[in-house]
Amino acid sequence: LPAHKFLQQYCWYGWNSPYNWNRRSRHLCSGSRQMPNGKRQALLSCKPEEYGMSSVMLDRIDSIARMGIKAGAYPGCQIVVMKEGQILYDRCFGTHAGKGSAPVHSADVYDIASLSKTTGTLLALMKLYDKGRFNLSDKLSDYLPWLQGTDKKDITIREILLHQSGLPAGIVLYPEAIDKESYKGRLFSARRDALHPLRLGATTWVNPNFRFLPSFVQVLQEKISEIPLKTKQYRYSDIGFILLRFLVDRLADMPMDEYLAKEFYAPMGLERTLYLPLRRLPKSEIIPSANDRFLRKSVLQGFVHDECAAFQGGVGGNAGLFSNAREIARIYQMLLNEGELDGHRYLSRETCKLFTTEVSKISRRGLGFDKPDMKTPDKSPCTKSAPASVYGHTGFTGTCAWV
């Protein structure tokens, strides 16, 4: 059970400020202390009661987090709760990878998976929208000519953000990425033998001795161009956000990761929100996400878990960003502040209001953001008690942020 699903069964947590938020969001933590139960608790200089919240209720999160670790839902986690720009709960639990591994600290970073969509790609698009570089009704093919002449030529940017463009949910890329001359025999086998020692399923064994082709961007574009478009209904799609990354690169005239660092992460002082984290952070401060015995033949620690993002060099529109709870909180506080943080304006009020409030007419989705499902609460991505105004996103690796 993913961590965010486990926790949502018991509490709603995030950074919601329903009234009187202030525009300051400096961290008030002056360090942390080791607690008798093994968790690490930040030393906060404000009391939740001063902001209309209960310390007793917030402390109940501790038992929920520990319950998830005991149940095997996750080996460790970070949880931050902010209100009115102040951190009222900031604690870490468990370890990086289970018994014998390092304890989780607040500075450690996680592969945030699809939370990258709203913490990365969508931020870049909102900035470009602010600058008048595109309209939501524009056809994506007007900016990506390689989509012209395909059944995707009429897809609009708004349709992609609402996940109702007709694009399929995902795409299997590794067959085209593998050099077919690099291994002997077949790639897969129904039984184990000398060439197929690695088991992927009940009756699936694989030959792990292969190499990838040196270049894959062209192959990716060709593959997306060829896949048939489906009906235009709600269908969560990674492919749509992969295309949005290409759009950002084009409109920003620089790679998306560089644009995000320039416009948001660097001026916000976010030193641990980044793509390709091994370029700047020690491996020991990055939480491992999985043991990929097939494609990458190693524990993924500092390398993106998502296959599509990995084949894009680690910077994908759908995934690829690494961060931690404290820095994620600052980004979403900026959005809650209608584009402003610490006296600096990053986005216009109008753009923030548009992207955080518009909702699809046929689904719960917003413009890039996920929203509570008010019609069928049992299928909602967040707790049933979340009001309709909430926005945020989740990630496959167990991450989430709700405002």
Side-chain angles (χ1 to χ4, degrees):
L1 187 65
H4 68 270
K5 289 293 184 184
F6 186 91
L7 288 165
Q8 285 161 16
Q9 291 180 11
Y10 298 94
C11 68
W12 174 42
Y13 65 102
W15 306 289
N16 191 30
S17 174
Y19 62 92
N20 293 334
W21 47 261
N22 68 41
R23 298 181 184 278
R24 296 174 300 162
S25 62
R26 296 286 186 190
H27 288 170
L28 299 181
C29 304
S30 56
S32 63
R33 61 182 174 182
Q34 186 77 21
M35 303 296 285
N37 57 17
K39 70 176 181 286
R40 280 148 302 286
Q41 177 179 358
L43 302 178
L44 305 178
S45 60
C46 60
K47 295 181 179 180
E49 283 73 16
E50 296 173 358
Y51 294 88
M53 299 188 75
S54 167
S55 297
V56 174
M57 290 297 293
L58 288 173
D59 284 342
R60 292 178 61 185
I61 297 174
D62 294 13
S63 61
I64 297 169
R66 290 195 298 271
M67 193 185 308
I69 294 172
K70 184 177 180 180
Y74 44 86
C77 63
Q78 302 168 340
I79 304 174
V80 168
V81 178
M82 289 183 70
K83 187 179 181 185
E84 300 180 38
Q86 309 298 344
I87 293 179
L88 303 183
Y89 183 98
D90 180 5
R91 297 177 189 174
C92 301
F93 301 85
T95 64
H96 284 206
K99 187 176 180 180
S101 63
V104 176
H105 292 285
S106 59
D108 293 335
V109 300
Y110 285 82
D111 176 343
I112 67 171
S114 283
L115 187 53
S116 303
K117 290 181 172 73
T118 53
T119 316
T121 309
L122 188 62
L123 281 185
L125 282 171
M126 292 171 73
K127 188 69 175 181
L128 291 165
Y129 181 83
D130 246 1
K131 294 182 176 181
R133 301 301 303 275
F134 70 92
N135 292 312
L136 293 174
S137 58
D138 290 348
K139 295 178 181 179
L140 191 61
S141 61
D142 291 342
Y143 304 96
L144 305 179
W146 50 275
L147 290 177
Q148 295 175 5
T150 74
D151 59 358
K152 301 157 195 70
K153 60 182 175 62
D154 294 325
I155 292 176
T156 67
I157 297 171
R158 174 179 268 109
E159 288 175 332
I160 290 181
L161 289 170
L162 294 173
H163 292 276
Q164 55 193 53
S165 66
L167 288 166
I171 185 171
V172 179
L173 299 174
Y174 69 83
E176 284 74 20
I178 292 174
D179 182 352
K180 294 178 175 56
E181 302 297 324
S182 66
Y183 60 90
K184 296 180 180 179
R186 296 177 299 169
L187 186 60
F188 298 101
S189 173
R191 59 174 61 99
R192 180 176 182 174
D193 56 34
L195 291 177
H196 303 87
L198 182 60
R199 189 172 191 173
L200 291 186
T203 59
T204 305
W205 299 79
V206 65
N207 182 346
N209 299 310
F210 59 80
R211 295 188 303 272
F212 290 113
L213 295 169
S215 178
F216 194 65
V217 173
Q218 185 66 34
V219 175
L220 174 61
Q221 293 180 356
E222 291 174 359
K223 186 77 172 178
I224 292 176
S225 298
E226 293 170 358
I227 55 175
L229 202 63
K230 298 178 180 291
T231 55
K232 291 196 175 185
Q233 61 189 49
Y234 170 54
R235 183 182 299 103
Y236 181 78
S237 175
D238 279 344
I239 299 176
F241 270 76
I242 291 172
L243 291 173
L244 291 179
R245 176 266 171 113
F246 288 122
L247 175 64
V248 171
D249 287 354
R250 175 75 180 271
L251 295 181
D253 198 27
M254 67 174 66
M256 184 180 73
D257 58 325
E258 295 180 15
Y259 186 67
L260 284 164
K262 172 177 173 287
E263 297 289 347
F264 294 98
Y265 306 152
M268 291 174 72
L270 306 181
E271 298 179 351
R272 291 175 172 267
T273 300
L274 69 169
Y275 297 84
L276 304 169
L278 290 172
R279 295 187 300 184
R280 283 172 40 192
L281 302 179
K283 186 176 181 180
S284 60
E285 296 176 3
I286 304 171
I287 308 292
S289 61
N291 185 2
D292 185 353
R293 298 185 299 154
F294 172 41
L295 286 178
R296 285 166 279 182
K297 309 173 184 67
S298 66
V299 173
L300 302 181
Q301 188 172 6
F303 297 97
V304 61
H305 174 272
D306 183 85
E307 172 194 310
C308 290
F311 286 138
Q312 296 173 73
V315 183
N318 62 312
L321 193 62
F322 287 71
S323 189
N324 58 42
R326 287 183 179 181
E327 295 201 354
I328 295 278
R330 282 180 62 77
I331 291 172
Y332 287 82
Q333 183 67 50
M334 179 272 293
L335 293 171
L336 183 59
N337 290 355
E338 298 181 326
E340 186 179 340
L341 189 73
D342 299 335
H344 180 88
R345 179 156 294 283
Y346 295 89
L347 296 166
S348 70
R349 291 183 177 88
E350 295 75 17
T351 293
C352 285
K353 183 176 181 179
L354 172 65
F355 278 79
T356 60
T357 61
E358 182 168 324
V359 182
S360 168
K361 296 179 180 179
I362 64 173
S363 79
R364 68 171 193 260
R365 305 295 301 208
L367 287 174
F369 292 107
D370 205 353
K371 306 276 289 181
D373 194 327
M374 308 306 290
K375 294 182 179 178
T376 53
D378 289 339
K379 296 182 179 179
S380 185
C382 49
T383 187
K384 296 178 182 179
S385 62
S389 59
V390 165
Y391 57 91
H393 214 279
T394 59
F396 182 80
T397 52
T399 58
C400 67
W402 295 108
V403 180

